[in-house]
Amino acid sequence: MVGVALSRWTMTYFAVALVALLVAECLMAAGFGYPAVAAGAPETLALVHIISIGWLSLLMCGALFQFVPVLVASPLHDSSLPLPTLGCLVAGLIVLLLGFLKLGGEIDLEFSYFPVAAALLSLGFALVLWNLGRTLWAARPLPLPARFVVVGLFSAAATVSLGATFALVLGGTSNGTLLNIASLGLPIHIAAGLGGWLTCTAIGVSYRLLAMFMLAPDLDGPTARGALYSGAVALAVAVVGGVVAIFAGGNLAAVLGAAGLLGLLAVVLYGRDVLFLYRARKRRKIELNSRMAGLALVNLAMATTLIIVLLGAGKFEHHVAAVVFLVAFGWLTGLGLSKLYKIIPFLTWLECYGPIIGKAPTPRVQDLVTENRAIKWFVLYFFAVWAATAALFLEAPMAFRGAAAAMLIATIGIVVQLVMSRRLVDVKAALRLPDGVRKPRLLFSRAP
């Protein structure tokens, strides 16, 4: 990746996303939202959107602005757009949260929060789709990881469209079509968001990152293509078939069940490929980020198994919150934190030492981190997630708050490690700042 332009604002996206994650964990530890209140309560909706937009979506957007150009070996279509895009997304999220607080009676100020939030978030995600879409379109034919990202971007468009519909309904619209979608479309919104936008995109990027960081071969074989096609069809069935079922008065549960089976096939094929990547790697010592990514993948397998078992037992609806929690924090957040532990030092190393490679001695990427110090925070994080998931299954709110507090402590520990790597704290003094190297800015890259 040496020679590839760094995204100037990717670190800013990561920083804002991590702040949102810490805020969400603070709120969960304090008993804000589910399970202290109902899953549909305004407090829960506020918490869910801090996690889904503030943490996971901003993390994904920041990563894609950096790695889509790497996936397709082509520059980002417009490098000036990520900052105003971030402004729209953050402003839209804040207004949306204010709308939920007003809905819950926490604030009493007359303002059209939900329509404004829908406009700002739609504009922000439209800029994301435009910038990344133009980048991908110009680089056709696309490698397999980039095709996963394309599916993820279509899913993001569906997720945002449904979310904007819900916001307009909450804002008071009386349009019958929008009311019909809002009354039944929540499962489609969740499937498109968690399954399509976040999971499908994460799978595509992970195909490239796991191979790159473990020195394993890039995959484009039958199983990888099978995972892509089955996942794409699953999402099409869930979104298109689901909307048609709503308007035609069909069986939405049957449509989503069919989509779930196709999604299960995609996860199984993806899991087989991941095992191959770990076995075929040339880097024999598995670094901490790859070991922790393995735990995140185990959580994806656990969540998939739970969905099958609960559906078979007729108890999925009763435990859906626990499963969604495991997907959001065990799989997506676990993968995100583990990959940040590699991505931030890697991008910092490129920014600082890339220009002087071959001209002066430089540290290795691994010299920017201390794995023995960081591992305890990751282990605590994953044990806390499993404890929190169990507490949700057992309907034990106080135990959930305790586990959420442990997640918060672990996340703070991980964030401290990320800041230390960005500030070059662990690099030996003799190699830290040779001639021609400037200490990196914490929140953005100096690279254009």
Side-chain angles (χ1 to χ4, degrees):
M1 209 179 123
V2 174
V4 172
L6 295 176
S7 170
R8 182 175 179 81
W9 303 110
T10 283
M11 290 296 170
T12 317
Y13 274 80
F14 290 165
V16 177
L18 286 167
V19 168
L21 174 60
L22 292 172
V23 169
E25 290 174 339
C26 282
L27 292 174
M28 290 191 293
F32 185 89
Y34 186 85
V37 297
E43 295 89 344
T44 303
L45 296 177
L47 180 59
V48 164
H49 287 86
I50 292 173
I51 297 165
S52 59
I53 298 176
W55 159 233
L56 292 172
S57 290
L58 291 186
L59 172 69
M60 189 62 74
C61 289
L64 290 179
F65 285 136
Q66 177 61 60
F67 286 106
V68 163
V70 175
L71 295 179
V72 299
S74 180
L76 188 67
H77 173 69
D78 190 337
S79 59
S80 67
L81 280 181
L83 186 59
T85 300
L86 178 63
C88 288
L89 294 174
V90 172
L93 175 61
I94 291 172
V95 177
L96 182 67
L97 297 178
L98 290 174
F100 287 129
L101 291 177
K102 182 175 186 298
L103 196 63
E106 302 295 333
I107 58 176
D108 185 19
L109 179 63
E110 290 302 323
F111 183 75
S112 300
Y113 292 103
F114 289 115
V116 172
L120 287 169
L121 289 170
S122 296
L123 175 60
F125 280 106
L127 291 174
V128 173
L129 297 175
W130 166 261
N131 210 357
L132 296 175
R134 288 295 302 268
T135 304
L136 292 163
W137 182 261
R140 293 168 295 147
L142 299 176
L144 183 127
R147 282 178 272 162
F148 275 98
V149 174
V150 171
V151 176
L153 295 180
F154 273 108
S155 301
T159 307
V160 174
S161 299
L162 287 167
T165 301
F166 299 154
L168 292 175
V169 170
L170 287 171
T173 183
S174 57
N175 182 288
T177 301
L178 298 184
L179 289 172
N180 194 26
I181 294 176
S183 64
L184 298 171
L186 183 59
I188 305 173
H189 182 59
I190 295 173
L194 284 182
W197 161 229
L198 295 170
T199 292
C200 193
T201 308
I203 286 175
V205 174
S206 71
Y207 264 114
R208 184 71 185 95
L209 292 187
L210 288 172
M212 183 169 69
F213 292 146
M214 294 195 298
L215 301 180
D218 289 319
L219 293 180
D220 192 7
T223 53
R225 290 196 295 272
L228 172 65
Y229 298 145
S230 55
V233 174
L235 289 162
V237 170
V239 176
V240 180
V243 172
V244 170
I246 289 175
F247 283 111
N251 189 335
L252 179 60
V255 172
L256 295 177
L261 289 176
L262 288 165
L264 171 62
L265 175 61
V267 170
V268 170
L269 293 172
Y270 170 61
R272 181 178 174 180
D273 277 347
V274 168
L275 288 176
F276 174 81
L277 288 174
Y278 275 83
R279 289 168 179 163
R281 72 187 187 281
K282 294 180 180 177
R283 177 167 283 156
R284 300 320 302 170
K285 181 182 178 182
I286 303 179
E287 296 175 346
L288 180 61
N289 74 91
S290 295
R291 279 181 278 162
M292 297 302 106
L295 289 180
L297 292 163
V298 168
N299 285 326
L300 175 60
M302 288 171 58
T304 305
T305 304
L306 281 171
I307 291 172
I308 297 169
V309 171
L310 291 172
L311 284 173
K315 297 182 178 179
F316 178 72
E317 188 174 350
H318 185 67
H319 293 296
V320 65
V323 176
V324 170
F325 180 87
L326 183 59
V327 172
F329 286 96
W331 155 234
L332 292 169
T333 302
L335 183 71
L337 290 174
S338 63
K339 285 302 153 193
L340 282 180
Y341 190 70
K342 182 68 177 183
I343 290 171
I344 288 179
F346 186 55
L347 297 182
T348 300
W349 183 88
L350 284 176
E351 180 183 346
C352 291
Y353 305 112
I356 64 165
I357 290 177
K359 303 175 185 175
T362 61
R364 302 170 304 151
V365 176
Q366 278 305 95
D367 293 332
L368 274 63
V369 297
T370 302
E371 292 191 356
N372 290 337
R373 190 180 57 218
I375 189 171
K376 60 179 177 291
W377 301 118
F378 281 100
V379 171
L380 175 61
Y381 175 81
F382 280 106
F383 272 103
V385 168
W386 294 328
T389 305
L392 290 176
F393 270 105
L394 298 173
E395 300 178 358
M398 290 307 296
F400 176 81
R401 291 178 60 179
M407 289 169 57
L408 173 63
I409 293 170
T411 304
I412 291 172
I414 293 170
V415 170
V416 169
Q417 306 307 307
L418 299 177
V419 172
M420 291 175 71
S421 71
R422 185 69 184 161
R423 305 307 289 167
L424 307 176
V425 171
D426 290 322
V427 180
K428 292 180 180 178
L431 294 174
R432 186 175 301 151
L433 293 173
D435 290 341
V437 172
R438 290 186 295 172
K439 200 169 185 178
R441 299 288 186 181
L442 182 61
L443 297 179
F444 63 90
S445 168
R446 287 193 176 92

